[in-house]
Amino acid sequence: MDQVALVTGGSSGIGLAAAQALSNAGYRVYALSRHGGNLPGISHLSSDVTDISQVSASINKIMADCGRIDVVVNCAGFGISGAIEFTDASDAKRLFDVDFFGMVNVNNAVIPLMRKAGGGRIINVSSVAAPAAIPFQAYYSCAKAAVNDYTCALANELRPFHIGVCAVMPGDIKTGFTAARKKLHRGDDVYGGRIGRSVAKMEHDEQTGMKPETAGEFICRIAGKKRVKPLYTIGFQYQCITVLLKILPCGFVNRMISKLYIS
């Protein structure tokens, strides 16, 4: 029987690449997004992950079609940039609603089904920005750090039910995420133009970064593993960086990040 995969944020970027890779690997793929889509081999469902009723309706549709969900890939998300003191709490809460609680909504709907089926795989898309807190993009880093901690806790909770849970952390990647970022320029004069320069550096790195297909294929391989560890980093360069972030003193790491992104 074909394995069934659900991918959120599946109309663009990493989500679309993961959906395509899974489809090519023989999965029956359902992609959830607010805007829908039209790609052969992928069933698109319009759904806002922040709306629990829409998430439930999409899950019910998949279960009615297939009777099972074997793999969930949580890719839905967006970014904001700006100085912490000039970022409205409403903007930060909106980011967490999508990037963190949207993932929670989907997982809460799927876990009982996987538990009843005797197993499954949940893959949450995080970022290297989780262990490396990026200045002027603090709330994105915070949301992805929350994804990592949530993933590690959930992996332990669901292990007795044979549900493997992990998070994958891409680094700089060339997707529409860059253009979609909500840029908050307020206070740039107070910070001597450092907000704009820092975000421009980050966006340059993103647009010269890895292709989304690289991340999609990585996610597909993780989906097919018998066992998973809680956290994965995509790309040898970023694997080295995350190791260094763990072993070097926090103060030293923070100064290095400052040199990279604040001029």
Side-chain angles (χ1 to χ4, degrees), residues 107-158:
N107 290 344
N108 282 352
V110 170
I111 288 168
L113 305 175
M114 288 185 171
R115 191 173 62 245
K116 185 176 180 180
R121 174 64 41 80
I122 296 172
I123 304 172
N124 303 318
V125 175
S126 180
S127 171
V128 173
I134 309 298
F136 304 119
Q137 302 200 58
Y139 289 109
Y140 180 73
S141 283
C142 289
K144 293 305 184 181
V147 168
N148 284 3
D149 281 355
Y150 163 95
T151 296
C152 291
L154 187 64
N156 280 333
E157 292 182 13
L158 298 184

Side-chain angles (χ1 to χ4, degrees), residues 57-76:
S58 295
I59 299 299
N60 290 340
K61 164 65 175 170
I62 298 170
M63 292 299 293
D65 287 352
C66 307
R68 58 191 290 168
I69 297 175
D70 302 285
V71 175
V72 170
V73 182
N74 287 295
C75 289

